[in-house]
Amino acid sequence: MSRTIIKSTRGSGRVTIVLAVVLAVTGLMTTGCSYFAKTAVRAVARGVPTAWPFFDKALALGADFAVGEALSRIGGEIQGDEPGLYGGTKDTSHCDKAKLVDFLQKPENRRKAEEWAKAQGLEGVGEIAGFVKELTPVLLRGDTLVKNHDYEKGRTKAFYALLEAGIAILVEEFGRPAVQCSCGNPLGAYDRDIGDAEVEFEGAHKKWASYDSKKMAKVKLASKRAPVEAYKLVNVGALTPPWSAMLAPTAPTTRSWRKR
């Protein structure tokens, strides 16, 4: 490559410049292009709304839970049906699925519903009720990487996010995060390597005490690649160890809808 470039130039000054460019490019190649490897990830702190939520916090769609540091040490790539991956409490008000569906079905929220359905990979707003019905409410036990979606100026805007442990979410049939309860934002799988994540703490989303860059979780498909029949949740509401496990409602295995 360098021989051809040098032959096509005239003058020692120009040769020097071309060689410098070639060496710079070669340097990037030999280092594995590490400069381009990092993925910008926005930190989303517990109890703090995102910049452009689908739902106003005043709608009280869901509430996060203050998970103690001893319970927030889940990290690495974890399958969606792993026992203890998620937490729960005996208080079932952390995520109101009926209120979520009711909001999206109102005529004045039609545009939001269309964008919400699109972000979830649904064929249209008519599938929202059936989709939400089969989601399971849980609490994150570890800081979890996801693809989040804001609603900005009538459009869905996707971004990578790190959700703090204790944030209430709904998970889909294979155990992966699907909805952030407090704001109704659609969630998707984090499709990058954990080690590439460069977490940014901005504004009210300040770095939390239990944050550890080596303890970020990424949820994969359930081990059997089949719908999870029951989730074994850790009771994060217990005040002292050992924290007892409890079973979430069994998710139905028959589906009246299909994702694209």
Side-chain angles (χ1 to χ4, degrees), residues 31-42 77 145 160 190-200 211 213-214 216 218:
T31 56
C33 298
S34 58
Y35 179 80
F36 303 98
K38 293 297 182 183
T39 299
V41 175
R42 191 192 310 172
E77 294 193 13
L145 292 162
Y160 291 115
Y190 181 77
D191 54 6
R192 304 293 180 90
D193 292 334
I194 296 177
D196 293 340
E198 189 168 274
V199 183
E200 302 169 351
Y211 170 73
S213 61
K214 297 179 181 179
M216 296 187 293
K218 172 183 175 180

Side-chain angles (χ1 to χ4, degrees), residues 100-117:
L100 169 64
V101 173
D102 181 64
F103 180 89
L104 291 172
Q105 288 182 336
K106 290 181 178 179
E108 61 267 30
N109 297 324
R110 177 75 181 190
R111 182 60 186 168
K112 280 189 175 182
E114 291 173 346
E115 290 296 303
W116 197 93

Side-chain angles (χ1 to χ4, degrees), residues 61 95-98 100-101 104 116 120 122 127-138 169-181 184-187 228 231 233 248-252 254-255 257 259:
L61 180 67
C95 210
D96 194 328
K97 297 197 297 181
L100 169 64
V101 173
L104 291 172
W116 197 93
Q120 295 288 7
L122 304 178
E127 292 188 345
I128 290 177
F131 173 72
V132 173
K133 181 181 179 181
E134 295 171 351
L135 301 179
T136 302
V138 299
I169 66 168
L170 294 172
V171 294
E172 46 93 91
E173 58 182 335
F174 297 103
R176 293 178 299 187
V179 181
Q180 185 178 343
C181 294
N185 287 12
L187 302 176
V228 180
Y231 292 93
L233 307 179
T250 299
T254 56
R255 300 291 185 269
W257 55 270
K259 296 176 68 174

Side-chain angles (χ1 to χ4, degrees), residues 1-255:
M1 180 182 296
S2 61
R3 182 174 63 255
T4 302
I5 295 174
I6 294 172
K7 186 176 181 179
S8 64
T9 62
R10 289 180 294 178
S12 59
R14 296 181 64 184
V15 171
T16 302
I17 293 172
V18 173
L19 280 173
V21 173
V22 173
L23 289 173
V25 173
T26 304
L28 285 175
M29 293 175 63
T30 56
T31 56
C33 298
S34 58
Y35 179 80
F36 303 98
K38 293 297 182 183
T39 299
V41 175
R42 191 192 310 172
V44 177
R46 185 175 60 234
V48 181
T50 59
W52 301 92
F54 268 76
F55 303 82
D56 190 277
K57 192 175 181 180
L59 293 173
L61 180 67
D64 300 332
F65 187 87
V67 176
E69 186 172 342
L71 288 172
S72 59
R73 291 299 180 182
I74 300 276
E77 294 193 13
I78 309 172
Q79 290 171 320
D81 57 350
E82 178 73 21
L85 168 59
Y86 298 117
T89 70
K90 293 182 179 179
D91 181 3
T92 59
S93 64
H94 289 298
C95 210
D96 194 328
K97 297 197 297 181
K99 188 177 291 186
L100 169 64
V101 173
D102 181 64
F103 180 89
L104 291 172
Q105 288 182 336
K106 290 181 178 179
E108 61 267 30
N109 297 324
R110 177 75 181 190
R111 182 60 186 168
K112 280 189 175 182
E114 291 173 346
E115 290 296 303
W116 197 93
K118 185 188 302 182
Q120 295 288 7
L122 304 178
E123 293 290 347
V125 296
E127 292 188 345
I128 290 177
F131 173 72
V132 173
K133 181 181 179 181
E134 295 171 351
L135 301 179
T136 302
V138 299
L139 294 170
L140 293 176
R141 286 192 59 218
D143 298 340
T144 304
L145 292 162
V146 297
K147 180 181 285 187
N148 208 333
H149 300 80
D150 273 346
Y151 182 77
E152 183 178 357
K153 299 178 181 180
R155 297 286 183 181
T156 297
K157 185 176 181 180
F159 63 97
Y160 291 115
L162 177 70
L163 304 185
E164 183 183 3
I167 287 180
I169 66 168
L170 294 172
V171 294
E172 46 93 91
E173 58 182 335
F174 297 103
R176 293 178 299 187
V179 181
Q180 185 178 343
C181 294
S182 62
C183 58
N185 287 12
L187 302 176
Y190 181 77
D191 54 6
R192 304 293 180 90
D193 292 334
I194 296 177
D196 293 340
E198 189 168 274
V199 183
E200 302 169 351
F201 294 85
E202 300 178 346
H205 300 274
K206 301 182 184 302
K207 184 179 293 187
W208 44 88
S210 62
Y211 170 73
D212 184 342
S213 61
K214 297 179 181 179
K215 289 293 183 181
M216 296 187 293
K218 172 183 175 180
V219 183
K220 303 188 299 181
L221 285 171
S223 58
K224 296 181 180 179
R225 296 186 178 273
V228 180
E229 294 184 358
Y231 292 93
K232 294 182 179 179
L233 307 179
V234 171
N235 181 7
V236 298
L239 298 178
T240 57
W243 294 277
S244 58
M246 62 181 185
L247 294 178
T250 299
T253 54
T254 56
R255 300 291 185 269

